[in-house]
Amino acid sequence: MRADWRRLLQQADGLVSAYSNRVSNAANLCALLYQELPDVSWAGFYFLHGNTLLVGPFQGPPACVSIDLGQGVCGQAAMTGKPIRVGDVEAFDGHIVCDAEARSEVVVPLFKEGDLVGVLDVDSRRLNRFSQEDQSGLEALAKIYLASID
Ligand code: SME
């Protein structure tokens, strides 16, 4: 893993390891991602409530509040249980536009002991902003988050 991601994951661990509140830890982790990753326009969490994802802590412009399971990149990642990396959101069938300027996106589903908790979503206004390495880094950060919460 690249040094910048190793450092970012160490910072993430330092921010959340002593705390277990899911909102507090999500808030600090999206602030970290938004501050440290270049060209990121939005970084945040959606949490599952019934069959719907509702926006949680985030950094960036105001976002869609509610996303049904199966809808958009977030809802599809949540439903399939697999991360989705989109190089060009305009080419992704069903992409939900929250920010008309967004061009690429990664969504990592969050499962705690087999139960869907929500998703981590990171957007950029640059096409193909996220590499496989970025996706792996976000998956590792999601693991740190999930291990920290109650
Ligand atoms: N584009 C996402 C919606 C969430 S926002 O990007 C913050 C989607 O298609 O699920």
Side-chain angles (χ1 to χ4, degrees), residues 42 46 63 67 72-74 95-96 98 105 121 123:
W42 197 91
Y46 281 85
I67 298 175
V73 188
C74 290
H95 170 256
I96 298 168
C98 294
E105 166 164 23
D121 180 14
D123 295 358

PDB file of all heavy atoms in Angstrom, residues 42 46 63 67 72-74 95-96 98 105 121 123, ligand 1:
ATOM      1  N   TRP A  42     -16.795  15.414  -2.002  1.00  0.00           N
ATOM      2  CA  TRP A  42     -17.786  14.999  -0.992  1.00  0.00           C
ATOM      3  C   TRP A  42     -17.286  13.696  -0.368  1.00  0.00           C
ATOM      4  O   TRP A  42     -16.805  12.806  -1.088  1.00  0.00           O
ATOM      5  CB  TRP A  42     -19.146  14.761  -1.650  1.00  0.00           C
ATOM      6  CG  TRP A  42     -20.315  14.730  -0.717  1.00  0.00           C
ATOM      7  CD1 TRP A  42     -21.093  15.791  -0.345  1.00  0.00           C
ATOM      8  CD2 TRP A  42     -20.867  13.583  -0.045  1.00  0.00           C
ATOM      9  NE1 TRP A  42     -22.084  15.367   0.510  1.00  0.00           N
ATOM     10  CE2 TRP A  42     -21.973  14.025   0.712  1.00  0.00           C
ATOM     11  CE3 TRP A  42     -20.527  12.221  -0.005  1.00  0.00           C
ATOM     12  CZ2 TRP A  42     -22.748  13.175   1.499  1.00  0.00           C
ATOM     13  CZ3 TRP A  42     -21.283  11.371   0.782  1.00  0.00           C
ATOM     14  CH2 TRP A  42     -22.380  11.849   1.525  1.00  0.00           C
ATOM     15  N   TYR A  46     -23.812   7.163   4.652  1.00  0.00           N
ATOM     16  CA  TYR A  46     -25.259   6.959   4.709  1.00  0.00           C
ATOM     17  C   TYR A  46     -25.490   5.780   5.644  1.00  0.00           C
ATOM     18  O   TYR A  46     -24.759   4.785   5.594  1.00  0.00           O
ATOM     19  CB  TYR A  46     -25.826   6.634   3.319  1.00  0.00           C
ATOM     20  CG  TYR A  46     -26.003   7.846   2.439  1.00  0.00           C
ATOM     21  CD1 TYR A  46     -24.957   8.344   1.687  1.00  0.00           C
ATOM     22  CD2 TYR A  46     -27.237   8.496   2.359  1.00  0.00           C
ATOM     23  CE1 TYR A  46     -25.125   9.477   0.873  1.00  0.00           C
ATOM     24  CE2 TYR A  46     -27.413   9.614   1.551  1.00  0.00           C
ATOM     25  CZ  TYR A  46     -26.355  10.099   0.815  1.00  0.00           C
ATOM     26  OH  TYR A  46     -26.533  11.210   0.016  1.00  0.00           O
ATOM     27  N   ALA A  63     -26.360  17.126   0.455  1.00  0.00           N
ATOM     28  CA  ALA A  63     -26.517  15.897  -0.331  1.00  0.00           C
ATOM     29  C   ALA A  63     -27.956  15.392  -0.274  1.00  0.00           C
ATOM     30  O   ALA A  63     -28.755  15.833   0.553  1.00  0.00           O
ATOM     31  CB  ALA A  63     -25.582  14.830   0.220  1.00  0.00           C
ATOM     32  N   ILE A  67     -31.871   7.501   0.156  1.00  0.00           N
ATOM     33  CA  ILE A  67     -31.602   6.656  -1.022  1.00  0.00           C
ATOM     34  C   ILE A  67     -32.133   5.256  -0.711  1.00  0.00           C
ATOM     35  O   ILE A  67     -31.719   4.631   0.278  1.00  0.00           O
ATOM     36  CB  ILE A  67     -30.087   6.593  -1.317  1.00  0.00           C
ATOM     37  CG1 ILE A  67     -29.539   7.995  -1.650  1.00  0.00           C
ATOM     38  CG2 ILE A  67     -29.806   5.629  -2.458  1.00  0.00           C
ATOM     39  CD1 ILE A  67     -28.027   8.060  -1.845  1.00  0.00           C
ATOM     40  N   GLY A  72     -29.236   4.062  -7.211  1.00  0.00           N
ATOM     41  CA  GLY A  72     -27.974   4.796  -7.268  1.00  0.00           C
ATOM     42  C   GLY A  72     -26.782   3.914  -6.953  1.00  0.00           C
ATOM     43  O   GLY A  72     -26.909   2.696  -6.752  1.00  0.00           O
ATOM     44  N   VAL A  73     -25.626   4.531  -6.933  1.00  0.00           N
ATOM     45  CA  VAL A  73     -24.400   3.774  -6.634  1.00  0.00           C
ATOM     46  C   VAL A  73     -24.443   3.304  -5.182  1.00  0.00           C
ATOM     47  O   VAL A  73     -24.106   2.151  -4.866  1.00  0.00           O
ATOM     48  CB  VAL A  73     -23.145   4.644  -6.889  1.00  0.00           C
ATOM     49  CG1 VAL A  73     -21.888   3.802  -6.770  1.00  0.00           C
ATOM     50  CG2 VAL A  73     -23.196   5.315  -8.263  1.00  0.00           C
ATOM     51  N   CYS A  74     -24.895   4.195  -4.303  1.00  0.00           N
ATOM     52  CA  CYS A  74     -24.942   3.849  -2.869  1.00  0.00           C
ATOM     53  C   CYS A  74     -25.874   2.666  -2.616  1.00  0.00           C
ATOM     54  O   CYS A  74     -25.514   1.707  -1.925  1.00  0.00           O
ATOM     55  CB  CYS A  74     -25.409   5.056  -2.052  1.00  0.00           C
ATOM     56  SG  CYS A  74     -24.198   6.381  -1.975  1.00  0.00           S
ATOM     57  N   HIS A  95     -27.220   6.284 -11.606  1.00  0.00           N
ATOM     58  CA  HIS A  95     -26.494   7.197 -10.711  1.00  0.00           C
ATOM     59  C   HIS A  95     -27.419   8.314 -10.227  1.00  0.00           C
ATOM     60  O   HIS A  95     -28.185   8.886 -11.020  1.00  0.00           O
ATOM     61  CB  HIS A  95     -25.296   7.801 -11.470  1.00  0.00           C
ATOM     62  CG  HIS A  95     -24.618   8.914 -10.732  1.00  0.00           C
ATOM     63  ND1 HIS A  95     -24.778  10.243 -11.059  1.00  0.00           N
ATOM     64  CD2 HIS A  95     -23.810   8.878  -9.654  1.00  0.00           C
ATOM     65  CE1 HIS A  95     -24.076  10.974 -10.219  1.00  0.00           C
ATOM     66  NE2 HIS A  95     -23.481  10.183  -9.355  1.00  0.00           N
ATOM     67  N   ILE A  96     -27.362   8.622  -8.938  1.00  0.00           N
ATOM     68  CA  ILE A  96     -28.198   9.693  -8.382  1.00  0.00           C
ATOM     69  C   ILE A  96     -27.360  10.964  -8.301  1.00  0.00           C
ATOM     70  O   ILE A  96     -26.295  10.967  -7.668  1.00  0.00           O
ATOM     71  CB  ILE A  96     -28.708   9.309  -6.975  1.00  0.00           C
ATOM     72  CG1 ILE A  96     -29.591   8.059  -7.067  1.00  0.00           C
ATOM     73  CG2 ILE A  96     -29.471  10.469  -6.357  1.00  0.00           C
ATOM     74  CD1 ILE A  96     -29.902   7.443  -5.719  1.00  0.00           C
ATOM     75  N   CYS A  98     -26.444  14.205  -6.819  1.00  0.00           N
ATOM     76  CA  CYS A  98     -26.606  15.112  -5.677  1.00  0.00           C
ATOM     77  C   CYS A  98     -25.883  16.416  -5.989  1.00  0.00           C
ATOM     78  O   CYS A  98     -26.335  17.484  -5.631  1.00  0.00           O
ATOM     79  CB  CYS A  98     -26.008  14.510  -4.412  1.00  0.00           C
ATOM     80  SG  CYS A  98     -26.869  13.052  -3.837  1.00  0.00           S
ATOM     81  N   GLU A 105     -16.741   8.388  -8.416  1.00  0.00           N
ATOM     82  CA  GLU A 105     -17.268   8.069  -7.081  1.00  0.00           C
ATOM     83  C   GLU A 105     -16.845   6.660  -6.672  1.00  0.00           C
ATOM     84  O   GLU A 105     -16.688   5.786  -7.531  1.00  0.00           O
ATOM     85  CB  GLU A 105     -18.792   8.180  -7.202  1.00  0.00           C
ATOM     86  CG  GLU A 105     -19.623   7.600  -6.111  1.00  0.00           C
ATOM     87  CD  GLU A 105     -21.060   8.136  -6.167  1.00  0.00           C
ATOM     88  OE1 GLU A 105     -21.524   8.579  -7.236  1.00  0.00           O
ATOM     89  OE2 GLU A 105     -21.718   8.101  -5.119  1.00  0.00           O
ATOM     90  N   ASP A 121     -19.277   6.834   1.175  1.00  0.00           N
ATOM     91  CA  ASP A 121     -19.320   7.340  -0.208  1.00  0.00           C
ATOM     92  C   ASP A 121     -18.325   8.489  -0.344  1.00  0.00           C
ATOM     93  O   ASP A 121     -18.315   9.404   0.487  1.00  0.00           O
ATOM     94  CB  ASP A 121     -20.749   7.837  -0.499  1.00  0.00           C
ATOM     95  CG  ASP A 121     -20.915   8.374  -1.912  1.00  0.00           C
ATOM     96  OD1 ASP A 121     -20.041   8.138  -2.767  1.00  0.00           O
ATOM     97  OD2 ASP A 121     -21.941   9.041  -2.152  1.00  0.00           O
ATOM     98  N   ASP A 123     -16.799  11.193  -3.368  1.00  0.00           N
ATOM     99  CA  ASP A 123     -17.026  11.708  -4.729  1.00  0.00           C
ATOM    100  C   ASP A 123     -15.920  12.673  -5.135  1.00  0.00           C
ATOM    101  O   ASP A 123     -15.299  13.325  -4.281  1.00  0.00           O
ATOM    102  CB  ASP A 123     -18.332  12.528  -4.775  1.00  0.00           C
ATOM    103  CG  ASP A 123     -19.568  11.708  -4.510  1.00  0.00           C
ATOM    104  OD1 ASP A 123     -19.437  10.490  -4.331  1.00  0.00           O
ATOM    105  OD2 ASP A 123     -20.652  12.301  -4.461  1.00  0.00           O
TER     106      ASP A 123
HETATM  107  N1  SME B   1     -24.223   9.654  -6.271  1.00  0.00           N
HETATM  108  C1  SME B   1     -24.736   8.833  -5.215  1.00  0.00           C
HETATM  109  C2  SME B   1     -25.661   9.603  -4.320  1.00  0.00           C
HETATM  110  C3  SME B   1     -25.003  10.140  -3.102  1.00  0.00           C
HETATM  111  S1  SME B   1     -24.126  11.524  -3.382  1.00  0.00           S
HETATM  112  O1  SME B   1     -23.102  11.306  -4.403  1.00  0.00           O
HETATM  113  C4  SME B   1     -23.509  12.204  -2.029  1.00  0.00           C
HETATM  114  C5  SME B   1     -25.458   7.614  -5.772  1.00  0.00           C
HETATM  115  O2  SME B   1     -25.660   7.497  -6.983  1.00  0.00           O
HETATM  116  O3  SME B   1     -25.817   6.773  -4.964  1.00  0.00           O
END
